[in-house]
Amino acid sequence: MAAAPTETDPFLAACAGQPVRHTPVWFMRQAGRALPEYRALRGDGSILESLTHPELAAEITMQPVRRYGVDAAVVFSDIMAPLWATGVGVDIVPGVGPVVEHPFRSEDDLRRLRPLVAGEDMPWAGETIAMLTEQLKVPVIGFAGGPFTLASYLIEGRPSREHQSTKALMHAEPELWHSLLQRLVDLAVATIEDQVAAGAAAVQIFDSWVGTLSAADYDRFVLPAVTRFFDDTRHLGVPRIHFGVGTGELLHSMASAGAEVLGVDWRVPLPAAAERAPEAGALQGNLDPAVCLAPWPVVAREARRIISERPAGVGHVFNLGHGVLPETDPDTLARLVDLVHEETAG
Amino acid sequence: MAAAPTETDPFLAACAGQPVRHTPVWFMRQAGRALPEYRALRGDGSILESLTHPELAAEITMQPVRRYGVDAAVVFSDIMAPLWATGVGVDIVPGVGPVVEHPFRSEDDLRRLRPLVAGEDMPWAGETIAMLTEQLKVPVIGFAGGPFTLASYLIEGRPSREHQSTKALMHAEPELWHSLLQRLVDLAVATIEDQVAAGAAAVQIFDSWVGTLSAADYDRFVLPAVTRFFDDTRHLGVPRIHFGVGTGELLHSMASAGAEVLGVDWRVPLPAAAERAPEAGALQGNLDPAVCLAPWPVVAREARRIISERPAGVGHVFNLGHGVLPETDPDTLARLVDLVHEETAG
């Protein structure tokens, strides 16, 4: 029998820390309001409702692949979708974000969080991914919300700068907190299993707001749950990307949870990230999305800085440090993909 | 002539990295909505207008000193006050924050930023501090807004999560950006000079939102201006505290700017801060303000963790990692002051 073939898809190879023909690029929120074709197609309707139309969701997912030439397609969805699909009253309010009808307050609210039966509750999610894998040559990335971030939306009822109600509940009622996180991890595991079954070649866990915690609180209140997520999805055999914003002091803990790839925001230089998280086989990031609003020479300079600084011996998936800002000029992102490909071809 | 006496005031001694009889404590935004006596006294009027009444501002400043037994009084003011006093249309909108009538957009807007003549533009500021130094036994801390943070409010026109217009202007028009920052540093220097002349024994520069920048952007776009601020205020001979939120990757640069004390938010453990910023003679922080909403045993545990973890050989001023949250129970803060004093008495 021959040795296992070297992975030749740049995105999957980079996730595995293997040699690549060029550094792969994708952008968080690449399918979205920065694209005129997205705005034209989506109109003003509910985002969550739009997800139930697989052809629409697949088309939106493919728009940035065509436009930018990125190396992976991230499925058009929302981290609140599984909660919504299981009956939690939530809406994505334009200009605000997720707004939860009845914020999570007490033990009683646990009963409102029932397990996800993906094929029944959100059959459209798998159908969208199945369509995409049929039509696309690049890998499709599925995703789910991380437990702290989903808990924060449920508890605060809306986006929050301080996450104070979330932290107050976490500290005052640690058993209730851990029960809540267990349910949210169950939800994430079921979501991801369904996405991989439908053909997703990689997944990302967005624990976007976890960087608001001190390392001591992260280790006590989030790490056990997120470690269970990675334990329970390891058998799926796809690379898992673990991402949050402002996580400079958490990278060591986050990497210990078990992801193959660690997503890093723009605040932490990649060499510092590699030093703090030696377990990470690959890093993803980390151009400041706001830099993409600058004139092209600035974007090019910053992209080159990231490429030249990145540490040896660890895979690299080029991405922004957070989602594409709606004001971004699509041409900038198209040029950025070309620049990364050219600078790293070898 | 005898040797200079060892400073015996705990706050000033800690700022100088000298031995203390107990670790000093104060809280950012200790004078504010968490206190019922503050809400009773302030009512619903404009914060900025209230600053023009020295007796009122002094009384508000003294309320937390009486209630909590803190080791320093931070003058009741607002970082936007000098801009407001020099004619920039700005209001502090309850539940929102600073809202600027005509956001800063171009070269023309520079003309709207005139130099501060503190005794003429805001005579009440000095009068308030003079009253306080007469009536209080603890040092009075003055403060000013840091240049990035003031620039962000001017450019965005209101509080912002992404600071994207600020970064866009910074990258697209670096000369205009540097001119803007020079004016804002001039304003901060004049503010601080006036406060020290009136009796402030220490000052803090709040560059609260600078942690949104990558280290590369900080070094290029903010460090020169803030270094000039510290150069130009060194002759005043008072300790200067340099504070921002989410500055884990900036601490080395921030410390190089020249402050005596580096303020650290709750994300960065104090030993990590000392390692990244060996120039800092003292550190200030860093209990998560949201922890103060938790039951007392949690607050006590976290305060003890910070005290036990702190590095040797560097001064320590105990504080929160950001301002007191309005929902905080004042009794918790009073107990916290007692706990820090008792645990560190020696």
Side-chain angles (χ1 to χ4, degrees), chain B residues 312-329:
Chain B
V314 58
H316 180 222
V317 176
F318 193 98
N319 204 319
L320 306 185
H322 199 188
V324 172
L325 295 169
E327 302 85 345
T328 309
D329 180 347

Side-chain angles (χ1 to χ4, degrees), chain B:
Chain B
M1 231 173 82
T6 301
E7 186 54 71
T8 54
D9 173 82
F11 170 72
L12 294 174
C15 288
Q18 291 172 0
V20 290
R21 62 174 188 271
H22 62 242
T23 295
V25 189
W26 71 282
F27 303 120
M28 290 182 272
R29 223 180 289 150
Q30 63 190 15
R33 279 185 291 152
L35 286 174
E37 57 268 36
Y38 169 87
R39 298 194 298 267
L41 196 58
R42 265 266 297 118
D44 291 328
S46 151
I47 284 195
L48 291 168
E49 204 277 329
S50 74
L51 303 180
T52 65
H53 304 282
E55 288 194 14
L56 176 65
E59 173 58 23
I60 290 175
T61 304
M62 291 187 290
Q63 286 175 342
V65 180
R66 289 187 209 113
R67 166 83 86 139
Y68 301 139
V70 283
D71 297 284
V74 59
V75 65
F76 180 66
S77 185
D78 191 279
I79 62 169
M80 302 304 281
L83 286 165
W84 176 71
T86 50
V88 174
V90 57
D91 193 16
I92 313 295
V93 177
V96 177
V99 174
V100 173
E101 198 177 357
H102 300 292
F104 185 97
R105 289 281 172 269
S106 69
E107 191 83 28
D108 285 347
D109 295 315
L110 275 181
R111 278 177 304 193
R112 297 194 287 122
L113 301 174
R114 67 165 176 80
L116 175 74
V117 186
E120 283 176 28
D121 291 318
M122 37 197 299
W124 29 271
E127 288 166 27
T128 301
I129 290 178
M131 270 183 205
L132 288 166
T133 53
E134 212 164 276
Q135 296 183 52
L136 284 174
K137 289 188 185 131
V138 297
V140 175
I141 304 173
F143 68 86
F148 177 84
T149 301
L150 292 183
S152 173
Y153 284 126
L154 286 176
I155 295 167
E156 308 285 344
R158 56 198 298 120
S160 162
R161 186 194 283 270
E162 311 285 358
H163 304 275
Q164 61 216 58
S165 302
T166 310
K167 292 178 180 178
L169 187 144
M170 177 179 98
H171 286 299
E173 302 187 64
E175 286 188 24
L176 178 57
W177 171 261
H178 286 297
S179 300
L180 171 60
L181 259 60
Q182 289 308 325
R183 306 247 176 153
L184 295 174
V185 165
D186 290 343
L187 205 67
V189 170
T191 304
I192 292 296
E193 282 178 342
D194 188 56
Q195 291 172 338
V196 173
V203 295
Q204 175 155 322
I205 190 101
F206 282 90
D207 218 352
S208 306
W209 307 136
V210 84
T212 190
L213 294 177
S214 68
D217 282 345
Y218 183 82
D219 289 352
R220 185 188 303 256
F221 292 110
V222 180
L223 186 57
V226 86
T227 299
R228 203 218 350 132
F229 169 82
F230 286 109
D231 286 346
D232 287 2
T233 55
R234 187 163 292 114
H235 72 280
L236 298 172
V238 302
R240 292 136 337 139
I241 307 165
H242 191 181
F243 171 76
V245 176
T247 57
E249 313 309 319
L250 309 180
L251 291 174
H252 176 73
S253 295
M254 287 175 73
S256 78
E260 285 70 30
V261 184
L262 197 57
V264 181
D265 89 351
W266 65 94
R267 293 175 177 88
V268 185
L270 293 181
E275 206 178 297
R276 291 181 211 166
E279 306 94 326
L283 298 173
Q284 175 176 285
N286 67 346
L287 183 66
D288 185 348
V291 164
C292 294
L293 305 182
W296 171 250
V298 175
V299 184
R301 180 192 74 207
E302 287 302 296
R304 289 197 179 97
R305 178 179 63 75
I306 287 165
I307 291 169
S308 69
E309 280 180 6
R310 60 192 180 170
V314 58
H316 180 222
V317 176
F318 193 98
N319 204 319
L320 306 185
H322 199 188
V324 172
L325 295 169
E327 302 85 345
T328 309
D329 180 347
D331 289 346
T332 297
L333 296 182
R335 291 179 78 173
L336 180 55
V337 173
D338 290 345
L339 179 142
V340 174
H341 286 171
E342 284 161 20
E343 297 271 326
T344 62

Side-chain angles (χ1 to χ4, degrees), chain A residues 196-242:
Chain A
V196 174
V203 295
Q204 175 155 324
I205 190 101
F206 282 90
D207 217 355
S208 306
W209 307 135
V210 84
T212 190
L213 294 177
S214 67
D217 282 346
Y218 183 82
D219 289 352
R220 187 188 301 258
F221 292 110
V222 180
L223 185 56
V226 87
T227 300
R228 211 240 313 156
F229 169 83
F230 286 109
D231 286 346
D232 288 2
T233 54
R234 188 163 293 114
H235 72 280
L236 298 172
V238 302
R240 286 124 358 125
I241 308 165
H242 191 182

Side-chain angles (χ1 to χ4, degrees), chain A residues 262-286:
Chain A
L262 197 56
V264 181
D265 88 353
W266 64 94
R267 294 174 177 86
V268 185
L270 294 181
E275 206 178 296
R276 291 182 210 165
E279 305 94 327
L283 298 173
Q284 176 176 283
N286 68 347

